[in-house]
Amino acid sequence: MSDLFGADDPAASPDALFEAPTAPESEPEPSIRRANLGPSGPGAPLAARMRPRSLDEVVGQQHLLAPGAPLRRLVEGSGAASVVLYGPPGTGKTTLASLISGATGRRFEALSALSAGVKDVRGVIELARRRLAQGEQTVLFIDEVHRFSKTQQDALLAAVENRIVLLVAATTENPSFSVVAPLLSRSLVLQLQPLSPEDIRSLLERARTDPRGLAGTVAITDDALDHLVRLAGGDARRALTALEASAETAVDRAAGGDAVIDLPTVESSIDKAAVRYDRDGDQHYDVASAFIKSLRGSDVDAALHYLARMIVAGEDPRFIARRLMIQASEEVGMADPTALQTAVAAAQVVQQVGMPEAQLALAQATIHIATAPKSGAVTAALGAAIADVKAGRAGTVPPHLRDGHYKGAQGLGNAIGYRYPHDHPDGVLAQQYPPDELVGVDYYKPTAHGAERELGARVPKLRRIVRG
């Protein structure tokens, strides 16, 4: 998979394929390491060859490209604000940066946060400053800006504020967490969305017929096209890379005859779709959050979907097991006490058996928790008790409940008068247990869900007996 989607090929790296070639320099700057923008000629990857050359060729992002929208004004050359383009891979961030540069007539400089340092940033800014003195402006594109340190991002502030460069920064991470506030305040933050299935379908068909692409050399069946759309997951680059791999297989099998991409061809060319999930990024938190909320909402199918995404992406199974144990108490609680047992058992399977076999235990716990009756009574009860303690409603432990297992305890009045419940036929008797300040306070309020329905009748009866 890594070679199919370009993870091992710098020229086909995910954030390089849609990047525009750097314009020739008149001033040599050997110290500046620019991003590897990749080839775009006949031998280039299909995704690079099909990079949009104009706004008319861009698919998707209509919410940002409508007439008068900030991004359209920038692309058409009438905007002057720096922008942070935030969105998943393959949605056109680098393409739009290149179009902005071309529309405004500015020079295009690109840096990758994976390889550039503060020295590289300052070198490009100094180059842009010299150009500006000669009346030439510069668009500085920074890919994966979220990987820049605070110092590297701070190095951009003066140049952005004084418009020495028009900054176009791309990130797959939420900029509110990954970009420093001063830089955000000087830029427009525009969120790009995954491409719709219709957008991907249009893109694939264009690539199949366009002279820059496959030039009509292969046909494709409807079910194969549908499968490619599903595999893409809204990612244009992934869609085009998968199409290219399938086309190569179809041509090899045709042996000089008519090449046709059918469903078996696609399936044999691509073993699985790459999952958009970064264990260290906000997708990790988004998918985990969706998993938790699906469990809470009793949507077993959605919960299994997000579980599968985490498993396929290589998430630490111990993290998943911990979340399931937490959910069993927090969302199910006493409505089904066995849910916690199932979650703990799944965690033990993860520890003692490991993956991939443990994924079945994780699925079993997911199904149990998602389909169990829900109750937040345990969470609410503990929260209320903690709130009282923090508010100072602690009080002293009643004397008859204090520890009497040391010399002199009875002389202090401790453990005198304590009544042992098992001496009573019912195992329950009247006795004060809370501090004086909290006598009569009800923390636990059972719901009518699942096993708590029985507790709803039992708990008030116990309170009446205990409180006399």
Side-chain angles (χ1 to χ4, degrees):
M1 274 308 285
S2 61
D3 58 343
L4 174 59
F5 289 106
D8 299 326
D9 179 3
S13 63
D15 292 311
L17 290 179
F18 276 178
E19 292 173 346
T22 304
E25 290 291 354
S26 56
E27 311 93 333
E29 291 286 343
S31 65
I32 299 174
R33 295 174 295 170
R34 294 184 177 80
N36 182 0
L37 300 177
S40 57
L46 179 63
R49 301 200 305 272
M50 291 306 300
R51 184 182 298 117
R53 298 165 297 185
S54 69
L55 198 57
D56 293 336
E57 294 184 0
V58 175
V59 295
Q61 316 310 332
Q62 294 308 307
H63 63 297
L64 298 177
L65 295 173
L71 188 54
R72 176 172 282 274
R73 291 202 306 272
L74 279 169
V75 173
E76 291 176 345
S78 58
S82 292
V83 294
V84 175
L85 300 177
Y86 161 44
T91 51
K93 297 185 292 294
T94 314
T95 292
L96 291 168
S98 175
L99 292 177
I100 291 170
S101 174
T104 58
R106 294 179 169 100
R107 296 290 290 273
F108 186 83
E109 295 288 341
L111 292 176
S112 171
L114 288 172
S115 58
V118 173
K119 180 180 179 181
D120 303 307
V121 173
R122 289 173 177 164
V124 171
I125 291 173
E126 181 56 34
L127 182 60
R129 195 188 309 276
R130 294 204 302 267
R131 286 175 180 160
L132 190 60
Q134 299 171 3
E136 188 177 22
Q137 294 181 307
T138 301
V139 170
L140 172 57
F141 174 70
I142 297 182
D143 197 17
E144 298 193 78
V145 70
H146 58 275
R147 297 186 184 273
F148 263 177
S149 67
K150 182 179 183 298
T151 302
Q152 289 169 304
Q153 293 185 32
D154 286 344
L156 296 165
L157 293 177
V160 170
E161 187 166 23
N162 297 324
R163 295 190 176 174
I164 295 170
V165 296
L166 177 68
L167 175 67
V168 180
T171 176
T172 56
E173 304 295 333
N174 189 331
S176 298
F177 305 120
S178 58
V179 179
V180 296
L183 190 56
L184 279 182
S185 68
R186 291 164 171 80
S187 309
L188 291 174
V189 178
L190 304 177
Q191 184 171 7
L192 280 67
Q193 301 295 337
L195 302 187
S196 69
E198 292 74 20
D199 291 333
I200 295 292
R201 191 180 303 275
S202 170
L203 185 70
L204 289 170
E205 190 57 34
R206 181 196 301 169
R208 190 185 69 81
T209 58
D210 194 288
R212 289 182 296 154
L214 302 179
T217 56
V218 295
I220 187 168
T221 63
D222 290 341
D223 55 353
L225 184 60
D226 291 341
H227 192 51
L228 286 173
V229 171
R230 286 193 297 272
L231 285 174
D235 185 326
R237 186 183 302 105
R238 187 189 304 167
L240 293 171
T241 305
L243 174 63
E244 185 173 31
S246 301
E248 290 172 355
T249 303
V251 170
D252 290 342
R253 290 178 176 177
D258 294 336
V260 178
I261 301 174
D262 55 15
L263 184 57
T265 301
V266 176
E267 291 176 337
S268 65
S269 302
I270 306 153
D271 55 0
K272 64 181 179 179
V275 177
R276 182 179 299 125
Y277 186 94
D278 180 355
R279 284 176 54 182
D280 298 319
D282 64 347
Q283 279 293 312
H284 162 86
Y285 297 104
D286 287 345
V287 172
S289 175
F291 178 58
I292 291 166
K293 289 169 182 171
S294 298
L295 290 170
R296 180 186 300 142
S298 300
D299 191 328
V300 63
D301 305 294
L304 285 168
H305 166 76
Y306 292 116
L307 172 67
R309 282 176 67 167
M310 290 189 285
I311 289 173
V312 172
E315 178 60 79
D316 186 343
R318 294 172 300 176
F319 167 79
I320 303 173
R322 287 195 297 270
R323 289 310 322 175
L324 287 168
M325 288 188 286
I326 293 168
Q327 295 305 106
S329 290
E330 186 176 351
E331 310 297 352
V332 178
M334 295 303 296
D336 181 358
T338 65
L340 181 57
Q341 298 171 14
T342 303
V344 171
Q348 291 176 333
V349 174
V350 168
Q351 183 69 29
Q352 297 177 18
V353 179
M355 299 294 273
E357 292 84 357
Q359 65 189 15
L360 295 176
L362 294 173
Q364 183 177 343
T366 296
I367 293 170
H368 189 152
I369 293 169
T371 57
K374 301 299 187 296
S375 171
V378 170
T379 304
L382 180 59
I386 289 175
D388 272 354
V389 171
K390 289 183 176 180
R393 298 187 68 191
T396 58
V397 175
H400 59 281
L401 298 184
R402 296 174 190 168
D403 181 20
H405 294 88
Y406 60 93
K407 187 177 180 180
Q410 291 191 352
L412 296 173
N414 294 348
I416 297 175
Y418 172 67
R419 302 176 66 195
Y420 189 54
H422 293 296
D423 289 340
H424 192 279
D426 295 331
V428 184
L429 46 76
Q431 184 165 235
Q432 180 181 336
Y433 290 98
D436 292 342
E437 295 90 334
L438 295 173
V439 171
V441 174
D442 297 346
Y443 288 126
Y444 179 51
K445 300 176 181 178
T447 69
H449 305 156
E452 275 194 324
R453 185 180 299 110
E454 180 182 343
L455 291 176
R458 178 172 171 76
V459 169
K461 184 184 296 184
L462 292 172
R463 284 172 176 155
R464 286 195 297 272
I465 296 173
V466 170
R467 295 172 184 175

